[in-house]
Amino acid sequence: MGVSELRDPEFRRDPVTGRWVIVAPERSLRPMTLEGAEPRHRPDGEGRPCPFCPGHEYDTPHEVFAVREPGSAPDGPGWRLRVVPNKYPAVKPQTDLSPTRSLSGEGQLRPGGLSPSSFPGKGDGGFSPSPFEQLPGIGRHEVVIESPDHVSNPAFLPDDQIRDVFLAYRERLVALAADPDLQFAAVFKNVGAEAGASLGHCHSQIVATPLVPDIVRQELNGAGEYHTRTGRCVFCDIVRHELADGRRVVAETPHFLAVTAFAGRFAYEIWVLPKAHGSRYEAAAGPVVAELAGLMKRVVRGLDAVLDGPAYNWFLHTAPLRSAELGHYHWHFEVMPRTSRPAGFEWGTGCYVNAVAPETAAAQLRAACPG
Amino acid sequence: MGVSELRDPEFRRDPVTGRWVIVAPERSLRPMTLEGAEPRHRPDGEGRPCPFCPGHEYDTPHEVFAVREPGSAPDGPGWRLRVVPNKYPAVKPQTDLSPTRSLSGEGQLRPGGLSPSSFPGKGDGGFSPSPFEQLPGIGRHEVVIESPDHVSNPAFLPDDQIRDVFLAYRERLVALAADPDLQFAAVFKNVGAEAGASLGHCHSQIVATPLVPDIVRQELNGAGEYHTRTGRCVFCDIVRHELADGRRVVAETPHFLAVTAFAGRFAYEIWVLPKAHGSRYEAAAGPVVAELAGLMKRVVRGLDAVLDGPAYNWFLHTAPLRSAELGHYHWHFEVMPRTSRPAGFEWGTGCYVNAVAPETAAAQLRAACPG
């Protein structure tokens, strides 16, 4: 039987668990200069120009945001930070999708909502509707190029540069909220090949989708149930308890608390929480964002010191785009070093084995990132 | 503040999502002769004796099951397959736990049920009960040593040997069901360091826990909802549709179907499903288990050929221990090659990006594992 090649990205729903995945064949085309699995930072492969360095602006799609010298032209030199669409996107704006989609064509997205289509299996003999659902892979996939310098470790970025990164996240969340097709923006950073980075030049990514993804939905639901049961925000309770208890505290600033996660999936997993309640990162004031950036730098310096330059990710969990301020949700960052390799137990059950008690990890990190 | 070192394993529940993890400090002591991240099979590190080879039976805890020459003594040579408790367990029998548990001591497990305790944070001033819950890390963690020969690739096991592996899974599920503390047994296999294997000698593992883990619970719930809505088993519908459609079929035998997962988390992810309904692997007849073993070998040979010896996991999803036969659930194996590294997007959202369309992957695998 013939296989019609899928080219455009597509959301597909697991018919049993309901878990959504993205099938994105173009992702396989991206350059992987960090290929290899050293669980440490690595420079780019030899001989390949870095597409994120100044002078190579032609190698990325047109910038959608930048911090630039006054008078410098978009997509030219003179920038301190650039945000560009990902050249090898996991999701695409609707206008970039083929008019006829090879595998389905039926999946339709209406502003603000989803209308999944059944997968049109051929010859199913009319027994029953197909159990399969998919949607066009609509969305935006952006790259935040964090510095003109070819630095691979964000802990080495100057303070004003890392502040601009966290301010850029806020700018993009505000801008992406203007697109009614998008429901959520995932802001994240991969450091090191083992953590999924494919290029060594410091960057973050933003993937905005018409779906609120599973883990964020689980957080919203779990926090909603906690709020219904207790009348309180579970994250506010975590902040209060961790400050009183102290054993998992890694670092603290006037507005933020960094703790090892009580039930982290990886050893040395850290959560950075605002002490005051707020569900929307976009609503954080500039000086507060700058304070957060400084604390994140301290935290990743601590991880570098304790784990000898590990690969890690950080990601933002914030309310869906265009949410009202929510009493039960509380934005935060999670920092997840790749301290172990999930195996069959983890992939098969969703239950992670963490070999370092969070209290032990916090004691080491406290010593390594003094205030 | 002093840190009391956690020694015994412990289940901890994420207070926001409800996700359980296992904190198991002893796991960090295990030997990692496969350390390094080549995404391929690797021999054991030089100079270290393999604890799974004959003559090293003293290096494992006492066997709980074996296929042996008649008259040979337990824990001595003469075996073709051994099942032993893991020397570095993620969970432990209640009798092996310290009488006083260092961090809590309150978590109690009653036969057949859970009674989580609050985390006894000190000095919380009585504001509100702690948001943290944990349980003693009770359970069994076993290793199935699949062959006396130091073979690292299960595709190279002789047919009768791989049949014995799948029969051993059945034996252990039946035996573990006799312990009323245990609710679920996770049967899985890690091949290659990138897939979490720490030793190169062919083995599987079984982790039995007092909890039904998240992904299995999601499958049970999702399949239950589908059954309520349609009156049918979702897995039976998948089998029927995939056979009629054909695009994702990898291989087929009289009783089984291997397909690439419609919404796999990794490229080339394969599900192996019995064609006939059945929720309990333990209820499969011997010849049917032998047929499954032969198909699994064909499938991993196909993966080896197409992906050049990838790291992968396989795992069994079956009904909880002591379940009645369930109309809505259907046991199956999932085979998950490590074709990409999950990054911040996947860890932060639970949404996986798969860069190879399952239809493309199936066409390649069909060609590589002819019947």
Side-chain angles (χ1 to χ4, degrees):
Chain A
M1 64 217 79
V3 173
S4 46
E5 287 286 333
L6 180 69
R7 283 174 43 243
D8 282 331
E10 167 166 294
F11 291 101
R12 291 192 182 190
R13 189 170 178 275
D14 179 85
V16 185
T17 59
R19 178 174 56 219
W20 288 96
V21 303
I22 301 173
V23 177
E26 279 182 58
R27 289 290 288 162
S28 62
L29 307 176
R30 70 192 193 279
M32 298 283 274
T33 58
L34 273 178
E35 186 81 68
E38 277 301 324
R40 315 184 89 269
H41 308 305
R42 283 178 44 159
D44 281 346
E46 304 90 42
R48 297 196 62 150
C50 172
F52 296 165
C53 276
H56 291 267
E57 291 83 0
Y58 60 86
D59 209 11
T60 65
H62 298 302
E63 66 194 38
V64 295
F65 176 77
V67 180
R68 297 193 148 275
E69 281 168 23
S72 64
D75 298 321
W79 52 276
R80 299 201 327 161
L81 179 148
R82 291 179 84 214
V83 181
V84 299
N86 195 307
K87 198 171 174 180
Y88 304 94
V91 288
K92 286 181 174 182
Q94 187 145 25
T95 47
D96 291 358
L97 295 176
S98 316
T100 55
R101 298 179 57 252
S102 54
L103 274 178
S104 67
E106 285 93 341
Q108 291 300 322
L109 190 78
R110 303 205 188 88
L114 292 173
S115 166
S117 73
S118 271
F119 199 81
K122 50 180 174 178
D124 68 6
F127 281 121
S128 52
S130 163
F132 300 129
E133 279 176 32
Q134 89 276 50
L135 287 167
I138 291 172
R140 309 276 191 97
H141 189 165
E142 300 181 345
V143 178
V144 181
I145 306 171
E146 298 173 349
S147 165
D149 300 322
H150 190 84
V151 168
S152 68
N153 187 340
F156 295 158
L157 291 179
D159 287 352
D160 59 344
Q161 199 76 37
I162 199 154
R163 179 203 63 206
D164 285 351
V165 171
F166 285 82
L167 289 171
Y169 294 164
R170 199 179 61 168
E171 290 298 328
R172 294 313 301 157
L173 287 174
V174 170
L176 291 163
D179 181 342
D181 278 351
L182 303 175
Q183 296 292 330
F184 186 78
V187 173
F188 61 96
K189 180 172 183 58
N190 307 330
V191 177
E194 185 89 0
S198 50
L199 293 172
H201 191 128
C202 250
H203 65 287
S204 299
Q205 296 180 70
I206 302 173
V207 175
T209 55
L211 301 156
V212 176
D214 287 356
I215 291 180
V216 179
R217 202 158 22 82
Q218 285 163 16
E219 283 198 354
L220 286 161
N221 291 344
E225 284 162 23
Y226 189 95
H227 193 263
T228 302
R229 201 167 62 241
T230 65
R232 296 187 307 272
C233 164
V234 63
F235 297 95
C236 288
D237 272 7
I238 291 171
V239 168
R240 187 160 46 230
H241 277 272
E242 294 295 29
L243 282 171
D245 181 309
R247 282 173 296 177
R248 285 175 295 275
V249 171
V250 171
E252 195 187 342
T253 65
H255 294 90
F256 292 94
L257 176 66
V259 291
T260 50
F262 172 74
R265 287 178 283 179
F266 289 89
Y268 298 87
E269 184 177 328
I270 295 167
W271 289 13
V272 177
L273 302 134
K275 291 180 185 172
H277 186 78
S279 64
R280 302 168 60 243
Y281 179 77
E282 307 91 291
V288 170
V289 171
E291 184 183 315
L292 168 69
L295 177 58
M296 292 292 282
K297 181 169 164 177
R298 244 171 94 189
V299 161
V300 298
R301 274 179 184 259
L303 282 175
D304 275 354
V306 171
L307 300 174
D308 194 19
Y312 60 87
N313 306 104
W314 75 46
F315 43 83
L316 169 63
H317 280 172
T318 184
L321 297 169
R322 299 179 302 281
S323 277
E325 176 61 31
L326 304 173
H328 64 280
Y329 197 65
H330 191 124
W331 70 264
H332 60 282
F333 273 86
E334 302 186 13
V335 185
M336 197 183 266
R338 208 51 53 79
T339 40
S340 60
R341 294 212 179 85
F345 181 65
E346 285 82 359
W347 291 113
T349 66
C351 182
Y352 288 75
V353 180
N354 173 345
V356 181
E359 297 72 30
T360 307
Q364 294 174 20
L365 290 164
R366 266 197 306 277
C369 49
Chain B
M1 66 220 76
V3 174
S4 45
E5 286 287 333
L6 182 68
R7 283 174 44 242
D8 282 330
E10 165 167 297
F11 291 102
R12 292 191 183 190
R13 189 170 178 274
D14 179 87
V16 185
T17 60
R19 179 173 58 219
W20 288 95
V21 303
I22 301 173
V23 178
E26 280 181 57
R27 291 289 288 160
S28 62
L29 306 176
R30 71 191 192 281
M32 299 284 273
T33 58
L34 273 177
E35 184 81 69
E38 277 302 324
R40 316 184 87 269
H41 307 306
R42 281 179 47 162
D44 280 346
E46 305 90 41
R48 297 198 61 152
C50 172
F52 296 165
C53 276
H56 291 268
E57 291 83 0
Y58 61 85
D59 209 11
T60 65
H62 298 302
E63 66 194 38
V64 294
F65 176 78
V67 180
R68 297 194 149 273
E69 281 168 22
S72 66
D75 297 322
W79 52 276
R80 299 198 329 158
L81 178 149
R82 291 178 85 213
V83 181
V84 299
N86 195 308
K87 197 171 174 180
Y88 305 93
V91 287
K92 286 182 173 181
Q94 188 146 24
T95 48
D96 292 359
L97 295 176
S98 316
T100 54
R101 299 180 55 254
S102 55
L103 273 177
S104 66
E106 286 92 341
Q108 290 300 321
L109 191 77
R110 304 208 186 84
L114 293 174
S115 165
S117 72
S118 271
F119 200 82
K122 48 180 176 179
D124 67 3
F127 282 122
S128 52
S130 163
F132 300 129
E133 279 175 32
Q134 89 276 48
L135 287 168
I138 290 173
R140 310 275 193 97
H141 189 166
E142 300 181 345
V143 178
V144 181
I145 306 171
E146 298 174 348
S147 165
D149 300 322
H150 191 84
V151 169
S152 68
N153 188 339
F156 296 159
L157 291 180
D159 287 352
D160 58 345
Q161 199 76 40
I162 199 157
R163 179 202 65 205
D164 286 350
V165 171
F166 285 82
L167 289 170
Y169 293 165
R170 200 180 59 168
E171 290 299 328
R172 294 313 301 159
L173 287 173
V174 170
L176 291 164
D179 181 342
D181 278 350
L182 303 175
Q183 296 291 330
F184 186 79
V187 174
F188 61 96
K189 183 172 181 58
N190 307 330
V191 178
E194 184 90 1
S198 49
L199 293 172
H201 190 127
C202 250
H203 66 285
S204 298
Q205 296 180 70
I206 303 175
V207 174
T209 54
L211 302 156
V212 176
D214 287 355
I215 290 179
V216 178
R217 201 156 26 80
Q218 285 163 14
E219 282 199 353
L220 286 161
N221 291 345
E225 284 164 23
Y226 189 95
H227 193 263
T228 302
R229 200 166 65 240
T230 66
R232 296 187 308 273
C233 163
V234 62
F235 296 95
C236 289
D237 272 8
I238 290 171
V239 168
R240 186 159 50 231
H241 276 271
E242 294 295 28
L243 282 170
D245 181 308
R247 281 173 298 177
R248 283 174 296 275
V249 171
V250 172
E252 194 187 344
T253 65
H255 293 91
F256 292 94
L257 177 66
V259 291
T260 50
F262 172 75
R265 287 177 283 179
F266 288 88
Y268 299 87
E269 183 177 328
I270 295 167
W271 289 13
V272 177
L273 301 135
K275 291 179 183 171
H277 185 78
S279 65
R280 302 168 59 243
Y281 178 76
E282 307 91 290
V288 170
V289 171
E291 184 182 316
L292 168 69
L295 178 57
M296 291 293 282
K297 182 170 163 175
R298 244 171 95 189
V299 161
V300 297
R301 274 179 185 260
L303 282 175
D304 275 353
V306 172
L307 300 175
D308 193 18
Y312 60 86
N313 306 105
W314 75 46
F315 43 85
L316 169 63
H317 280 171
T318 185
L321 296 169
R322 298 180 302 281
S323 277
E325 175 61 31
L326 304 173
H328 64 279
Y329 197 65
H330 192 123
W331 69 264
H332 60 281
F333 273 86
E334 302 186 13
V335 185
M336 196 182 267
R338 207 51 52 79
T339 39
S340 60
R341 294 212 179 84
F345 181 63
E346 285 83 358
W347 290 114
T349 67
C351 182
Y352 288 75
V353 180
N354 173 344
V356 182
E359 297 72 31
T360 307
Q364 295 174 20
L365 290 164
R366 266 198 306 279
C369 51

